[in-house]
Amino acid sequence: MTYEVIRHQLPLFDEDGRAGATDDEHGRDLYYLPDLPEEDPYAAGHRTCAGCGPAIQYRWVLKAAGQDTVVAGPTGCMYVANSTYLCTPYTVPWAHTPIASGGSFTSGVAAGYEAMIRKGRYPGPYPNILVMAGDGSASDIGIGSISGALHRNHDALFICYDNECYANTGIQVSPTTPYAGMTTFTPFGKAIPEGNKLPPKNLAKMMAEGHPHCYVATTTVGYPVDLMNKTRKGLNHVGAAFLHCYTPCQKGWVYQTSMTVELGRRVVESGLWPVWEYDPAERQYHYFYPPVQRPVTDYLAMQGRFGHMLPEHVATMQVGANRNWEAIGMDVPAPLRDLEDPGRHQRLKDEEYSMPLNRGAGA
Ligand SMILES: Cc1ncc(C[n+]2csc(CCOP(=O)(O)OP(=O)(O)O)c2C)c(N)n1
Ligand code: SF4
Ligand SMILES: [Mg+2]
């Protein structure tokens, strides 16, 4: 006898009814959070750095997923800092996987639950199954196993928490490290003044284009409702889903601890991280159009990892951001077009762009 596999449908959080939200001068809600679920599958007491973006992502994703959830975590900061002998912050089943096999491990968990429910050996409903892998894992060492899982369409959510470096082993360059982003493997110097010469791998677009039957989306820790709703949409989707989330790394990027969420907004508002959703039913991308379009310096100047940038590097970054605006169908305002000229910039670490000017939200 075979039994039916019953699946959860998680309701989405409401963007409206923001009673407690305050708008800033640009009409941006200041980090509006809906009435968060009280349950905390990622509880307090872990050992990540203060202001750790991946830890914020973990908490919101698991609040959105809820208590009937099984989580996997490949090697990386979010494995090492969250698991000491006999101690983890998880109140749901969690398993560590080798860095290369987050996708294959999670496929096995998903296939196992399906089979057990069908055979009547597990009562169901089918739990929320997800893996949160770092960029080193998801975009590099473990990309093959995640791509395989997406292709085979296992019913699980595959998330890349992207801190744009191999953080846990000492902030080394990864495929998603941005152009000019300094890491311990891309130091700047006379021969290579920009540090990292390569543009970042466009992981989410690769996943959407390469697996057109999957739900794929990008998000950031700057937009908690968006992050939690895309988590729920990915889990509600029957089949494989992939979420690529921008998560600042306080230690590796060198910024003020309280600015993690603000960075998550500014990266979008400066055109460096397009936020979108790919709908596999329509085979269409839906882009988010931010209310503010900023020069890239509003973002770069908050972080020590970009402090070495010369005028031509900043201009190159602005050219890339302007291409991104065009790619999502937004006009490039004339002042941002002008900033493609290196003559309009000075060395980033000069006083005009120094970090103290960026204290506080919206500065
Ligand atoms: C096959 C393999 N190569 C290298 C390592 C060493 N290693 C452990 S954690 C880590 C960094 C992982 O980076 P990422 O996936 O981006 O996660 P983060 O540390 O940034 O959170 C590396 C390279 C490993 N564990 N396994
Ligand atoms: S090094 Fe970065 S990613 Fe790792 S715990 Fe610290 S802030 Fe988080
Ligand atoms: Mg990383």
Side-chain angles (χ1 to χ4, degrees):
M1 178 171 173
T2 51
Y3 295 82
E4 191 189 349
V5 180
I6 309 284
R7 289 179 155 83
H8 292 288
Q9 279 295 311
L10 297 162
L12 298 188
F13 293 99
D14 197 352
E15 290 273 5
D16 300 323
R18 300 161 34 224
T22 323
D23 287 346
D24 71 3
E25 76 273 20
H26 300 297
R28 307 185 316 169
D29 62 76
L30 282 180
Y31 318 129
Y32 162 66
L33 286 169
D35 291 333
L36 283 177
E38 294 217 341
E39 58 202 358
D40 228 340
Y42 180 72
H46 49 80
R47 297 183 304 135
T48 65
C49 307
C52 172
I56 294 173
Q57 179 207 292
Y58 261 56
R59 184 160 186 234
W60 288 342
V61 162
L62 289 177
K63 268 188 177 290
Q67 215 59 51
D68 190 8
T69 299
V70 179
V71 199
T75 317
C77 270
M78 297 307 287
Y79 157 55
V80 176
N82 288 321
S83 56
T84 3
Y85 185 56
L86 295 182
C87 173
T88 81
Y90 301 102
T91 64
V92 292
W94 167 86
H96 165 240
T97 84
I99 196 168
S101 48
S104 44
F105 178 92
T106 309
S107 305
V109 174
Y113 270 101
E114 287 238 28
M116 287 196 299
I117 294 171
R118 276 190 209 293
K119 290 178 181 174
R121 293 194 192 156
Y122 181 78
Y126 187 80
N128 299 311
I129 297 169
L130 60 94
V131 58
M132 291 192 264
D135 47 296
S137 172
S139 75
D140 204 9
I141 303 177
I143 190 172
S145 83
I146 294 186
S147 172
L150 296 181
H151 178 69
R152 294 188 303 273
N153 209 22
H154 292 283
D155 193 4
L157 174 59
F158 300 82
I159 304 180
C160 172
Y161 71 86
D162 192 353
N163 56 12
E164 303 182 340
C165 60
Y166 280 95
N168 187 244
T169 34
I171 323 295
Q172 290 93 15
V173 69
S174 92
T176 62
T177 301
Y179 167 78
M182 191 173 67
T183 67
T184 50
F185 278 9
T186 52
F188 68 94
K190 279 194 186 141
I192 308 180
E194 65 271 66
N196 182 28
K197 291 171 88 76
L198 299 174
K201 184 183 280 189
N202 197 339
L203 177 66
K205 275 276 162 91
M206 279 175 72
M207 293 309 200
E209 294 290 323
H211 313 86
H213 54 285
C214 298
Y215 171 84
V216 180
T218 65
T219 185
T220 93
V221 292
Y223 298 88
V225 184
D226 187 71
L227 167 57
M228 289 192 289
N229 276 341
K230 284 174 176 164
T231 299
R232 289 194 163 182
K233 285 185 187 176
L235 291 168
N236 288 346
H237 175 74
V238 180
F242 181 80
L243 196 55
H244 190 189
C245 184
Y246 167 94
T247 53
C249 167
Q250 195 276 335
K251 178 181 164 200
W253 301 8
V254 191
Y255 62 86
Q256 290 171 35
T257 309
S258 57
M259 290 290 109
T260 303
V261 172
E262 179 65 19
L263 280 171
R265 293 281 179 100
R266 288 200 188 194
V267 74
V268 178
E269 294 169 352
S270 57
L272 295 170
W273 185 274
V275 168
W276 50 262
E277 197 171 32
Y278 169 78
D279 181 337
E282 299 172 6
R283 304 231 159 165
Q284 293 260 348
Y285 291 92
H286 297 284
Y287 295 104
F288 168 67
Y289 303 116
V292 190
Q293 287 175 281
R294 296 173 178 272
V296 291
T297 44
D298 278 9
Y299 171 72
L300 302 175
M302 293 172 74
Q303 303 165 65
R305 65 175 170 156
F306 295 119
H308 60 284
M309 286 173 80
L310 299 173
E312 56 270 34
H313 308 145
V314 182
T316 300
M317 201 82 148
Q318 189 66 56
V319 170
N322 290 348
R323 281 203 195 107
N324 286 343
W325 290 127
E326 286 168 341
I328 67 170
M330 283 185 80
D331 291 334
V332 178
L336 297 190
R337 188 64 78 194
D338 290 348
L339 291 173
E340 293 183 4
D341 173 6
R344 300 291 302 272
H345 298 285
Q346 50 187 314
R347 196 184 170 88
L348 197 66
K349 76 175 182 192
D350 284 356
E351 212 178 327
E352 187 182 337
Y353 293 145
S354 67
M355 294 214 290
L357 284 179
N358 288 292
R359 289 224 170 103

